[in-house]
Amino acid sequence: MNDKMDVWQGTLALMVLKTLETMGPLHGYGIARRIEQTSGNQLTVLYGTLYPTLLKLEQEGYISAKWGVSDNNRRAKYYSLTHAGKMQLESEARRWEQRTAIVGRFLSPSEEA
Amino acid sequence: MSAIRAFLCRLSGLFDNQRKDRELAEELESHLQMHIEDNIRSGMTPEQARRDALIKSGGLELAKEACRDRSGLPVVETVVRDLRYAARILRRAPGSTAVCVLSLALGIGATTAIFSVQRALLLAPLPYPEPDRLMVVWQGPPEERSRQPLSSPDYFDYRERNRSFEELGVQTLRWVNLSRDGTPERVWASICTASFLRAVGIEPAAGRLFTDREEAEKERVVLLSYGLWKRRFGGDPSILGRRINVNREVFTVVGVMPAGYHSPRLWRADASPELWAPVQLSRADSERDSHWLAAIGRLKRGVSQQAAEEDIKGIAAALAKQYPNSSARVSAWLLPLKELMVGEVRKSVGFLLAAVGVVLLISCANVASIQFARSNGRQSEVAIRTSLGAGRARVIGQFLTENLLLSGTGGVAGVGLAACGMGALRSMVPATIERASAIQIDGWVLLFSIGVTVATGLLCGLAPALSAARLDINSVLREGQGTLTSGRSRARFQSALVVTQFALALALANGAALMIKSYLNAVSAPVGFDSERVMVASISLEGSGYQGNIPAQAAFWSLLLERVRTIPGVQEAGATTKLPLQGGTNGSYLVEDEKYDPKANRPLIERSWVTPEYFGSMGISLLAGRLFAPGSATEARSEIVVNRAFAQQYWPKGNALGKRIYPNTPKRDWTGEIVGMVEDVPQWSLEIPPLPEVYQSLESTGRATKHLIIRTALPPLTLARAVREAVASIDPEQPVSGIRTMEAVFDRAAARRRFNTVLMEIFAGLALMMVIVGVYGVISCWVAQRAREVGIRMALGAGRRRIARMVVGRGLLISVLGILIGLGGSLALSEIVGSMLYGVSPTNPVAIVGVASLLLLIALLGSALPALRAASVDPVRTLRAG
């Protein structure tokens, strides 16, 4: 059994957007690697979850894709953040923080009690 | 926003799949390679690196599948796959597919066509602003809702006293003569109040409406229709202010109405005015019993028809008290304009729609039966698919898709057929029906056809789909074929469908037979005149010199008749103020010693003014006495001729000759002496029996419009030119119009019934054709299922004849059952059907027996071929095959 956590769909989109924001245009392999590294190797990004997510983001207009050439001279599809994607990232990030703050308040030892 | 964008992307992703797949494969491959390279760089052997990368990636094919689902719409793809499969299945049996498509095309096409009639004539709003607020105001005796026009002083009282109408106006329709700007021409004019135009609410395309002031001051102003402006004045851009000649007087054009504008026809359905001019009204109380104005009112917002009617009835009641001599028996009521324009048509269109619905049902039964039979041949296919994991929903979905494809094809073909038939349909609609030219396949009709098509597809596909879904896989797979018992129940279902077809077809064909009989009754009933080789021409003597000048008119006509009689080929020529079957004028008389009484309800008597030669020219026989002598009429006294109905009304047993009649007024200032009695001629339509009529001498009327009647030995219309020349030789500014044969007049009167009858004939014909196909289909199936049984019987010594008899017997049994059920249905519906008939009972035994025999014949025809096939079965081969 793999003890690493599998990434769940909704959050992967957010991670992809954030990755593209910090790293600039990147191919699928690069995104996967970066997310794994950022998670301190606690996450594994599978093709079966990454590529449908990329496709969805592209269809929604948050990222755009272009064929390019990688550092090792390999043809690869590069994804980059669009303007709409930036806005989406901001609002999603804000929502995420709110949500975790609320859940956190329930889970942390209560101060008023 | 982004969700919509994504949906559109996925929709477009349905196409160009292969390129997408290739790109994805390439992208994933490059991902994998990069992973492997990284692994090698971190010190793995190429072998290890590849293995590790593949494990970590979590399966390439899975990723591709997930992306494929995401890039398209999986549901749509399933549907597309089902459609492809369905098309393949349908192509595999081209014969029965063609029969299905043709059945549906005819059913859906006919339904579409009739719906387009309903839409144009009944459903589409009238082409006036807020048409629901438009009401026609009729007068009539308080106890009946008869459609009598208003008198001029009554109109003023209604208009000024009512609290319900935003605007109320009146019009009358008249022929007017146009001269000087080209050849003399006679056109319909709406002589109306300014308020009438405002009530209708249509603004002119150029210029303005005329005003209340112009109407009150009797100014000679006129509005032209768009068509008249284009036709007669060549679309003259400076038409406004131009002076034109109407009835030999100069009128100033103040406006041109928009193209396609039709003035509401309140009075004469066949008149479509091309000119509007102010009417001259009088408030004099002596005019109260002269009813000649059709009124239209626009309700104030929020006022109901009922409230307005109470309002107007209140005014009528007050007037009845105020003027008992003229108005004691006059009340008023409202009829929505839409009712007036479509009311009469509604019933017959509803009837046709029901008939065409029956045709559609019969065609559905055909398709359901064929599809059902076909689905049986596919039991093992369905069983295999189910055992491979296809859910019940998928199986039903597949069958429904197949039927929707079928009905969709039928629907497209049907709408195509309907579109082709539109021209014929439009030309068949009687000209007296408002807005026949608006019949077309528009968006609504198309929507309706799509709805019908989908419903048809579901209806036809439901039985096969459900039976396939209920299939017991095990028994089918084990036995390879459906069992005998399931075959029996299938045959029962199909037979039930055909029984239904027979029942529906009987009801429809019986209805058609009754309609045909009614039509024949209507056109073959004695009309009292002889329309063969009679030419009619209409001439209106209008304007100064003629108007109100009876001697001048009489001089024109006697000169014209004299000249016409010298035209070669003319046998007899006369004149009349009204033609048979065209409606006309009526009034009431006092007969012998009857005393004037404003409260008495005297019968309406039709009135004509004719020359003595009219009767001969029209072929109306003189039954008793003589015709009036020329020049015998004076202002105070006339010789008159009455029709048989008049004589019977007043002297059922006695003799009418020598009796006297007087006008129904307080003063007896005129006396008519009956000198002759002639045969009845229907005045209003072929189906309204002749009413009592009084004929007076043409010399005694100043009515402008008269009709020239010529009996000839030649084809009647060949005289047209000579007649025009004769008129021009007397008065070159005088137009002649309405040159037609008397047969055309007759045909026109029969047009509406002919329209209904022809359509019913077509529908019944379609239904019978489909029933042949239906019975053939079900009997063939039955024979096929029983091939083995037939083989055994033959092996045991049954003769071929006996086998054939058995098969035909089956067909007859089905048809008899259907006929009996259809008879029951027809009897139940006889009251509704009866209201469409003329001179024939809805339970006419001849029609029913005839139609039932026809259906039996059809059952025979439909089962003959399968019977022959059964009789030619080779017992040895079938037994071996079984």
Side-chain angles (χ1 to χ4, degrees):
Chain A
M1 264 294 286
N2 199 332
D3 57 348
K4 286 180 184 173
M5 290 164 78
D6 200 4
V7 187
W8 54 106
Q9 279 272 344
T11 54
L12 182 59
L14 184 55
M15 292 177 195
V16 169
L17 292 178
K18 184 68 195 172
T19 306
L20 289 177
E21 191 197 27
T22 42
M23 304 291 293
L26 205 59
H27 46 68
Y29 177 69
I31 297 173
R33 268 292 107 83
R34 170 75 190 174
I35 289 175
E36 285 171 1
Q37 278 169 13
T38 314
S39 75
N41 279 329
Q42 292 193 55
L43 293 175
T44 310
V45 181
L46 300 178
Y47 290 19
T49 39
L50 176 65
Y51 283 95
T53 302
L54 287 172
L55 194 57
K56 178 167 182 283
L57 288 171
E58 192 185 344
Q59 286 172 348
E60 287 169 341
Y62 298 141
I63 61 176
S64 60
K66 216 162 57 187
W67 283 97
V69 178
S70 76
D71 307 337
N72 335 352
N73 259 349
R74 187 169 291 287
R75 236 168 85 78
K77 210 170 177 183
Y78 277 78
Y79 294 92
S80 54
L81 206 57
T82 64
H83 182 68
K86 258 176 220 153
M87 316 262 288
Q88 171 74 2
L89 174 59
E90 271 170 37
S91 75
E92 270 306 299
R94 211 175 314 117
R95 284 241 300 275
W96 178 257
E97 274 159 22
Q98 274 174 359
R99 222 177 301 154
T100 46
I102 291 169
V103 176
R105 243 179 266 167
F106 277 93
L107 298 181
S108 63
S110 167
E111 283 150 21
E112 287 108 310
Chain B
M1 244 331 267
S2 59
I4 296 171
R5 196 192 131 98
F7 176 76
L8 291 177
C9 284
R10 295 177 77 171
L11 206 58
S12 73
L14 289 175
F15 311 99
D16 205 10
N17 272 332
Q18 288 179 343
R19 191 180 61 84
K20 288 243 166 73
D21 278 357
R22 241 184 296 117
E23 272 192 22
L24 183 66
E26 195 183 343
E27 190 177 6
L28 292 177
E29 184 57 30
S30 91
H31 186 129
L32 187 67
Q33 290 307 330
M34 283 191 248
H35 201 161
I36 294 172
E37 280 163 23
D38 270 1
N39 279 352
I40 292 176
R41 230 172 283 141
S42 66
M44 295 188 196
T45 64
E47 217 68 355
Q48 267 180 323
R50 186 171 176 77
R51 234 176 81 83
D52 178 76
L54 279 174
I55 290 169
K56 284 214 179 114
S57 66
L60 280 176
E61 284 311 312
L62 220 60
K64 281 187 192 164
E65 192 60 35
C67 282
R68 226 172 272 142
D69 277 358
R70 179 65 219 180
S71 78
L73 290 165
V75 183
V76 178
E77 275 160 14
T78 308
V79 170
V80 169
R81 207 160 41 234
D82 278 1
L83 275 176
R84 285 218 185 105
Y85 182 68
R88 237 182 356 253
I89 292 272
L90 292 178
R91 264 204 306 271
R92 217 162 52 194
S96 53
T97 300
V99 169
C100 285
V101 169
L102 192 65
S103 287
L104 288 171
L106 292 173
I108 295 174
T111 313
T112 301
I114 296 304
F115 182 75
S116 73
V117 174
Q118 160 147 28
R119 156 119 188 95
L121 301 186
L122 302 179
L123 301 181
L126 299 181
Y128 310 113
E130 297 184 63
D132 292 342
R133 287 165 60 203
L134 291 175
M135 295 284 152
V136 182
V137 185
W138 293 119
Q139 290 192 324
E143 66 279 2
E144 56 184 80
R145 290 168 89 80
S146 61
R147 298 179 180 185
Q148 294 172 22
L150 270 54
S151 76
S152 164
D154 284 351
Y155 155 66
F156 283 111
D157 287 321
Y158 288 155
R159 174 142 192 258
E160 284 152 19
R161 296 192 199 175
N162 87 77
R163 298 177 307 278
S164 315
F165 291 101
E166 195 174 284
E167 193 56 276
L168 181 70
V170 290
Q171 77 160 352
T172 187
L173 292 176
R174 265 188 215 149
W175 284 111
V176 296
N177 296 331
L178 301 176
S179 51
R180 299 273 159 83
D181 310 279
T183 50
E185 189 179 357
R186 178 170 172 259
V187 299
W188 276 111
S190 161
I191 309 298
C192 60
T193 59
S195 55
F196 182 88
L197 297 172
R198 288 196 300 269
V200 174
I202 297 285
E203 287 298 315
R208 57 173 177 85
L209 301 177
F210 51 78
T211 63
D212 288 325
R213 189 192 57 77
E214 283 167 326
E215 176 196 323
E217 294 177 6
K218 302 189 174 20
E219 296 214 2
R220 295 198 169 141
V221 287
V222 67
L223 286 156
L224 305 182
S225 78
Y226 187 85
L228 183 66
W229 171 57
K230 280 277 178 200
R231 187 179 75 233
R232 191 167 177 88
F233 303 98
D236 176 8
S238 59
I239 188 77
L240 298 180
R242 179 162 163 187
R243 285 151 189 281
I244 65 168
N245 250 40
V246 180
N247 287 345
R248 297 166 212 253
E249 289 175 29
V250 176
F251 279 69
T252 307
V253 178
V254 296
V256 177
M257 295 307 277
Y261 168 68
H262 288 288
S263 195
R265 305 181 200 174
L266 308 182
W267 198 229
R268 302 201 46 149
D270 55 343
S272 102
E274 298 195 272
L275 203 122
W276 292 262
V279 64
Q280 299 184 0
L281 297 178
S282 150
R283 280 173 172 272
D285 286 334
S286 60
E287 294 280 314
R288 282 213 190 258
D289 55 0
S290 161
H291 296 260
W292 56 290
L293 296 162
I296 203 166
R298 179 172 284 277
L299 290 178
K300 285 182 182 158
R301 278 209 178 73
V303 174
S304 71
Q305 179 190 349
Q306 213 177 2
E309 183 160 311
E310 264 165 42
D311 184 11
I312 220 92
K313 272 193 190 308
I315 301 169
L319 291 175
K321 269 205 196 107
Q322 220 173 331
Y323 306 101
N325 272 354
S326 57
S327 312
R329 291 189 37 77
V330 177
S331 186
W333 60 285
L334 300 183
L335 180 70
L337 179 62
K338 175 136 193 185
E339 268 312 298
L340 175 84
M341 289 170 95
V342 306
E344 238 180 296
V345 188
R346 177 168 294 141
K347 195 171 71 180
S348 63
V349 173
F351 192 75
L352 289 176
L353 210 56
V356 91
V358 169
V359 173
L360 185 64
L361 278 179
I362 292 177
S363 75
C364 279
N366 253 355
V367 175
S369 173
I370 290 174
Q371 284 297 87
F372 193 69
R374 207 189 262 176
S375 77
N376 288 322
R378 287 161 58 189
Q379 285 189 342
S380 40
E381 171 208 326
V382 171
I384 291 170
R385 287 174 56 149
T386 313
S387 60
L388 287 178
R392 191 160 284 196
R394 287 286 299 115
V395 171
I396 293 180
Q398 170 62 47
F399 271 91
L400 289 185
T401 308
E402 193 179 312
N403 279 284
L404 285 173
L405 179 66
L406 204 56
S407 71
T409 316
V412 169
V415 171
L417 279 180
C420 292
M422 269 303 120
L425 188 68
R426 238 176 269 140
S427 67
M428 244 164 45
V429 175
T432 48
I433 290 181
E434 196 81 25
R435 295 192 294 161
S437 58
I439 296 175
Q440 55 167 338
I441 297 183
D442 62 1
W444 286 104
V445 175
L446 220 50
L447 203 65
F448 172 83
S449 325
I450 292 172
V452 168
T453 302
V454 170
T456 317
L458 293 180
L459 197 65
C460 298
L462 217 54
L466 289 180
S467 91
R470 265 207 313 270
L471 196 67
D472 177 6
I473 316 170
N474 284 332
S475 70
V476 173
L477 288 183
R478 206 179 305 128
E479 295 171 25
Q481 279 284 314
T483 58
L484 202 64
T485 41
S486 78
R488 280 256 164 83
S489 80
R490 253 183 277 137
R492 260 206 299 278
F493 175 75
Q494 280 181 290
S495 302
L497 283 177
V498 177
V499 167
T500 316
Q501 282 189 320
F502 268 99
L504 291 171
L506 178 100
L508 191 61
N510 186 37
L514 293 171
M515 294 283 287
I516 294 171
K517 181 75 184 121
S518 302
Y519 175 69
L520 294 178
N521 283 350
V523 298
S524 64
V527 285
F529 63 91
D530 175 11
S531 59
E532 221 174 307
R533 283 185 288 111
V534 174
M535 191 196 97
V536 180
S538 306
I539 296 166
S540 300
L541 297 178
E542 303 273 6
S544 59
Y546 289 128
Q547 201 165 19
N549 188 346
I550 297 179
Q553 292 192 15
F556 174 93
W557 275 97
S558 77
L559 192 56
L560 177 63
L561 287 169
E562 201 176 291
R563 292 203 181 161
V564 164
R565 285 184 192 119
T566 64
I567 298 173
V570 171
Q571 293 175 330
E572 200 157 11
T576 175
T577 51
K578 74 183 178 54
L579 294 169
L581 303 172
Q582 295 253 303
T585 322
N586 46 35
S588 48
Y589 289 95
L590 299 175
V591 174
E592 290 284 279
D593 38 13
E594 282 177 345
K595 290 278 173 297
Y596 175 71
D597 173 7
K599 291 204 164 59
N601 194 8
R602 306 257 180 237
L604 279 180
I605 308 295
E606 303 298 310
R607 310 166 74 179
S608 280
W609 285 264
V610 300
T611 63
E613 302 83 8
Y614 166 73
F615 300 101
S617 314
M618 197 59 101
I620 302 173
S621 21
L622 178 68
L623 301 174
R626 58 175 176 85
L627 300 175
F628 27 71
S632 65
T634 66
E635 215 163 293
R637 188 174 185 84
S638 305
E639 293 181 342
I640 61 167
V641 167
V642 297
N643 68 352
R644 187 207 290 269
F646 186 96
Q648 259 159 11
Q649 165 101 30
Y650 288 100
W651 305 280
K653 297 213 177 74
N655 186 357
L657 299 184
K659 302 287 195 310
R660 276 154 220 284
I661 66 168
Y662 309 94
N664 187 15
T665 53
K667 270 193 292 178
R668 293 194 165 192
D669 52 6
W670 172 86
T671 308
E673 189 192 339
I674 301 174
V675 298
M677 178 173 82
V678 293
E679 186 54 272
D680 288 341
V681 168
Q683 297 96 345
W684 292 86
S685 88
L686 287 170
E687 295 171 26
I688 299 175
L691 304 167
E693 178 148 18
V694 164
Y695 295 92
Q696 291 173 241
S697 169
L698 192 77
E699 306 155 342
S700 57
T701 179
R703 287 172 177 275
T705 298
K706 295 176 182 115
H707 309 280
L708 176 65
I709 312 291
I710 299 173
R711 175 163 295 276
T712 166
L714 306 172
L717 294 182
T718 54
L719 299 179
R721 199 193 149 100
V723 167
R724 282 184 198 282
E725 281 167 5
V727 172
S729 73
I730 300 170
D731 182 344
E733 275 189 51
Q734 180 58 46
V736 185
S737 71
I739 294 187
R740 56 212 191 276
T741 62
M742 200 52 211
E743 273 165 347
V745 173
F746 183 88
D747 277 352
R748 189 169 180 147
R752 191 169 291 199
R753 184 164 283 285
R754 188 169 48 237
F755 176 66
N756 291 340
T757 308
V758 168
L759 286 183
M760 278 299 280
E761 279 172 44
I762 294 176
F763 297 157
L766 286 179
L768 294 182
M769 263 161 48
M770 289 185 198
V771 171
I772 294 192
V773 173
V775 72
Y776 169 77
V778 72
I779 298 295
S780 306
C781 270
W782 189 71
V783 167
Q785 276 157 13
R786 283 172 179 243
R788 200 179 144 88
E789 182 192 328
V790 169
I792 295 174
R793 276 172 190 253
M794 285 176 119
L796 292 179
R800 295 186 186 279
R801 187 169 297 205
R802 194 178 160 147
I803 297 295
R805 229 177 7 237
M806 180 181 95
V807 175
V808 171
R810 174 78 188 177
L812 288 181
L813 177 71
I814 288 175
S815 67
V816 167
L817 264 177
I819 288 169
L820 288 178
I821 295 175
L823 270 181
S826 293
L827 291 181
L829 290 175
S830 62
E831 204 162 309
I832 301 172
V833 177
S835 68
M836 297 289 298
L837 302 180
Y838 175 70
V840 57
S841 147
T843 53
N844 183 304
V846 178
I848 288 184
V849 169
V851 168
S853 333
L854 186 64
L855 283 172
L856 282 176
L857 187 68
I858 280 175
L860 267 178
L861 275 176
S863 39
L865 209 61
L868 283 177
R869 211 179 295 141
S872 61
V873 156
D874 176 356
V876 180
R877 199 183 297 162
T878 32
L879 287 182
R880 222 178 258 151

